[in-house]
Amino acid sequence: MPRFTVHVRDEWLTVPCKDATCSIKWLGFEALKRYIKNKPDNGGIQHIKDVRFVVRRCQGLGLLDSDDTIEDVLEDNEFVELGKVTNMAYLFSYISLDGNSLTSTDLVNLGKGLYKIKVSGFMVDLQNSTYLLLNSVVVYGITTGFGKFARTVIPVSKLKELQENLLRSHSSGLGSPLNPERTRMLLALRINVLAKGYSGVSLETLHRMIQAFNASCLSYVPEKGTVGASGDLAPLSHLALGLMGEGKMWSPKSGWADAKYVLEAHGLKPISLKPKEGLALINGTQMITSLGAEAVERAEAIARQADIIAALTLEVLKGTTKAFDSDIHELRPHPGQKEVALRFRSLLDSDHHPSEIAESHRFCDRVQDAYTMRCCPQVHGVVNDTIEFVKKIINTEINSATDNPMVFAERGETISGGNFHGEYPAKALDYLAIGVHELASISERRIERLCNPALSELPAFLVNEGGLNSGFMIAHCTAAALVSENKVLCHPSSIDSLSTSAATEDHVSMGGWAARKALRVVEHVEQVLAIELLAACQGIEFLRPLRTTTPLEKVYDLVRATVKPWIKDRFMAPEIEAVHRLLVDQKVWNIAGPYIEKYCMEYIPESRPSSPTAFALDPPPSPRKRVRLE
């Protein structure tokens, strides 16, 4: 009887199959039944018929058609994974936007399509009052031109055309369009800023934007063209242009098509611009900030997983744990450094988690390790502190009014200012790139130690029959190439400024490029650490039958469920990408994180970090923001 190992969320389940003509869909539901049976709360699943999922091979992550028969597409004892397991009864939860409490985590989840949007009742009242005020004032961008044309008064009969022309002329970005996830984030963040009630848009326009978001009708937004002041004018203009029914749009239902037809296909009306609304839709730092939110969330995820990967490498290289002694780090008590040292202690050899590998070299004459192992708390630590600093700035920016002019209904006036200037997120994201890059820099040096037999006491390039096989030789070269590319990408963009708009906008942030390159740096860091994780797991093969600690063995098992040991040379690129995917999905953390938390709770409860998210695994939605669809 064939059997299959199926990964469902945090569980590996063996599913026997009496009839190989059953469908892949049957295999998925059979695994879900076993998963629910093992969970005291049914894994949060009330009705199995409400669950939707996709099925992938663990090897290479190839997507399987749910209607295919098992015998046609799977081999006996193959590993498969249920991905995107979603309880449809809870699929259409909402995040209520009030302009004050959205977080970078929320924004990334909105980008993934996990939630829809609504606005609070208080914001509705504030929105009405600011919009009514605009009907009684004469002010920049409402009854005048823009930038150099700020003193040109526009006749009342031309005010709608003024706003439409603004969007059309400013939609001049170039490059590839943002993907749907990033466009959703951009639209959600713009709605959040408008919901603060200081922009002067009508409720009708706000509601049409929300309807477009909830239907995933997403404008074509090129990634290049913003200088980060007066905000992200070009990308936000493209975003608004689609909502106006012009340009191109994408939705899951229609794919790419003319915007007016995409809106029609979903029963939606284009926005009809009123005074100031064109300006209100495009003035702000939402491109920089939404991409920055993704960058800082991914940086946070890879930073904590980097500690786990480095700990595994240290085990393979038979390093000592003495450098992680708590007394050392109390003498230099940076929060990030102390937290990283704590994670290493919780993962490596101890009474809590004994290691046969560590025991095998307990009485060796080695006094101390190379910096790439010994100094992980210091190097990884400052990365953690950098991420924490940047995240605070991004979350403040997410909930900031960055328009111009601002409409203050309670004062009965509008005021021109400079909140649109992107210097805050631009500087922070340059700093993030510089900080998080160091994880790749030190990881590449650990890969060198794993591959170099003079340093590792392992076979050269981690493969038998060297010469016939090259093993990890060029995987290390790839890591080196990515680290070198990062060195250029880490050059700050926010130190540059070019005067625009006839010297009216004579100092800009260049924050759009800061955000895009920060994302690229983070992705390179993820990829380098994926190579290190693969190499460390390969190194374990040469130390068998010795075993490492329980949490690190669990990480090894996770990788081996996706990538087999390296016996002889084979196509490596897909396997690097598969392990990269494990890191992006935070699966390494989800496997090892509970062991770290348990160690902290049982052994040193006073050392629990002050950050409530430091050990959080997929924290539950905040009831304050999310409501069920009635």
Side-chain angles (χ1 to χ4, degrees), residues 38 114 145 167 203 228 278 302 374 419 474 629:
N38 290 341
L114 299 181
L167 295 191
L203 277 175
I302 195 58
R374 195 192 336 161
N419 278 5
I474 304 305
L629 177 64

Side-chain angles (χ1 to χ4, degrees), residues 593-604:
Y595 291 94
I596 298 173
E597 184 172 13
K598 185 177 180 182
Y599 176 88
C600 296
M601 294 177 68
E602 292 185 0
Y603 278 69
I604 37 178

Side-chain angles (χ1 to χ4, degrees), residues 125-358:
D125 294 336
L126 184 58
Q127 203 77 28
N128 273 328
S129 60
T130 56
Y131 175 67
L132 291 174
L133 173 64
L134 289 178
N135 292 322
S136 60
V137 296
V138 176
V139 71
Y140 167 76
I142 301 172
T143 56
T144 75
F146 309 97
K148 188 69 174 176
F149 299 119
R151 296 181 182 181
T152 303
V153 177
I154 308 300
V156 173
S157 62
K158 299 281 188 177
L159 294 186
K160 183 174 185 295
E161 184 180 354
L162 170 71
Q163 301 299 317
E164 292 173 344
N165 286 346
L166 176 69
L167 295 191
R168 291 167 183 147
S169 66
H170 285 44
S171 295
S172 55
L174 297 172
S176 302
L178 298 181
N179 64 29
E181 290 79 8
R182 290 172 182 169
T183 310
R184 261 194 292 265
M185 290 174 66
L186 182 62
L187 179 55
L189 187 51
R190 194 64 211 163
I191 292 169
N192 188 59
V193 171
L194 297 177
K196 287 186 74 69
Y198 295 94
S199 303
V201 300
S202 66
L203 277 175
E204 179 186 7
T205 295
L206 186 62
H207 285 152
R208 288 187 183 180
M209 293 176 71
I210 293 170
Q211 289 170 347
F213 177 91
N214 290 342
S216 279
C217 292
L218 306 171
S219 303
Y220 185 100
V221 181
E223 63 180 6
K224 299 177 183 179
T226 176
V227 295
S230 299
D232 297 316
L233 293 174
L236 289 173
S237 295
H238 282 276
L239 183 75
L241 191 71
L243 297 170
M244 204 168 74
E246 299 183 19
K248 290 187 179 298
M249 256 189 168
W250 177 93
S251 80
K253 180 177 178 180
S254 65
W256 286 111
D258 289 344
K260 63 179 180 180
Y261 297 126
V262 175
L263 292 172
E264 285 176 7
H266 292 81
L268 302 179
K269 294 180 180 179
I271 57 176
S272 178
L273 297 178
K274 301 171 182 64
K276 192 190 182 288
E277 289 194 330
L279 188 60
L281 293 177
I282 69 172
N283 213 300
T285 63
Q286 282 66 60
M287 171 82 153
I288 306 170
T289 308
S290 60
L291 295 183
E294 181 187 345
V296 78
E297 287 290 315
R298 287 174 66 172
E300 186 174 56
I302 195 58
R304 59 189 184 183
Q305 292 177 110
D307 298 341
I308 300 164
I309 295 166
L312 185 59
T313 295
L314 183 136
E315 273 284 272
V316 173
L317 295 175
K318 298 182 179 179
T320 176
T321 61
K322 291 181 179 179
F324 313 116
D325 189 290
S326 60
D327 286 346
I328 292 177
H329 302 285
E330 286 299 332
L331 298 178
R332 196 193 193 195
H334 293 293
Q337 177 176 330
K338 291 172 63 177
E339 184 173 331
V340 172
L342 173 61
R343 289 177 183 169
F344 271 76
R345 293 197 299 275
S346 69
L347 294 168
L348 294 170
D349 180 68
S350 65
D351 293 338
H352 194 66
H353 294 305
S355 164
E356 294 175 355
I357 294 175

Side-chain angles (χ1 to χ4, degrees), residues 13 26-38 48:
L13 304 160
W26 173 88
L27 178 64
F29 276 114
E30 194 64 25
L32 274 175
K33 290 177 186 176
R34 286 167 164 74
Y35 174 80
I36 292 170
K37 185 178 179 181
N38 290 341
I48 196 168

Side-chain angles (χ1 to χ4, degrees), residues 1-5 14-17 75-78:
M1 178 190 304
R3 62 185 62 220
F4 305 93
T5 302
T14 300
V15 180
C17 178
E75 298 178 3
D76 189 15
N77 291 320
E78 190 160 354

Side-chain angles (χ1 to χ4, degrees), residues 226-232 284-286 288-289 389-390 393-394 397 402 418-432 492-498 506-512 514-515:
T226 176
V227 295
S230 299
D232 297 316
T285 63
Q286 282 66 60
I288 306 170
T289 308
F389 170 79
V390 173
I393 288 181
I394 293 297
E397 193 74 7
T402 54
N419 278 5
F420 50 68
H421 202 293
E423 199 74 11
Y424 261 103
K427 279 284 187 286
L429 292 168
D430 278 338
Y431 184 29
L432 179 70
S493 66
S494 61
I495 62 174
D496 185 29
S497 176
L498 290 172
D506 56 349
H507 184 278
V508 300
S509 71
M510 298 299 178

Side-chain angles (χ1 to χ4, degrees), residues 437-627:
H437 158 73
E438 214 59 39
L439 295 176
S441 177
I442 196 170
S443 173
E444 182 273 328
R445 289 292 81 202
R446 291 193 298 263
I447 297 169
E448 158 70 11
R449 302 192 76 82
L450 287 165
C451 292
N452 188 334
L455 302 174
S456 68
E457 301 176 7
L458 299 171
F461 304 111
L462 301 171
V463 71
N464 288 320
E465 296 188 85
L468 176 64
N469 296 301
S470 297
F472 281 72
M473 181 188 296
I474 304 305
H476 174 229
C477 289
T478 299
L482 294 173
V483 169
S484 183
E485 191 170 327
N486 272 2
K487 292 175 184 177
V488 176
L489 291 171
C490 285
H491 184 280
S493 66
S494 61
I495 62 174
D496 185 29
S497 176
L498 290 172
S499 179
T500 61
S501 192
T504 302
E505 299 161 6
D506 56 349
H507 184 278
V508 300
S509 71
M510 298 299 178
W513 176 224
R516 289 195 293 118
K517 68 185 183 62
L519 267 172
R520 194 182 301 180
V521 167
V522 171
E523 182 178 49
H524 290 170
V525 170
E526 294 165 347
Q527 290 165 335
V528 171
L529 281 158
I531 292 170
E532 183 187 353
L533 180 54
L534 266 176
C537 288
Q538 180 65 13
I540 289 280
E541 307 299 339
F542 298 105
L543 303 179
R544 293 301 194 209
L546 299 178
R547 295 177 64 81
T548 182
T549 64
T550 300
L552 295 180
E553 284 288 344
K554 293 289 186 182
V555 173
Y556 168 87
D557 290 341
L558 172 69
V559 174
R560 284 290 168 254
T562 302
V563 177
K564 296 176 183 178
W566 199 266
I567 307 302
K568 61 180 181 179
D569 282 350
R570 62 177 186 263
F571 188 17
M572 185 179 272
E575 299 185 346
I576 295 173
E577 187 50 46
V579 175
H580 176 215
R581 192 73 245 166
L582 293 179
L583 296 176
V584 172
D585 293 339
Q586 303 190 51
K587 292 186 178 180
V588 170
W589 176 256
N590 289 340
I591 287 290
Y595 291 94
I596 298 173
E597 184 172 13
K598 185 177 180 182
Y599 176 88
C600 296
M601 294 177 68
E602 292 185 0
Y603 278 69
I604 37 178
E606 72 279 2
S607 72
R608 285 183 63 80
S610 58
S611 170
T613 61
F615 295 117
L617 303 181
D618 300 325
S622 165
R624 175 173 57 85
K625 295 183 188 174
R626 296 165 176 80
V627 294

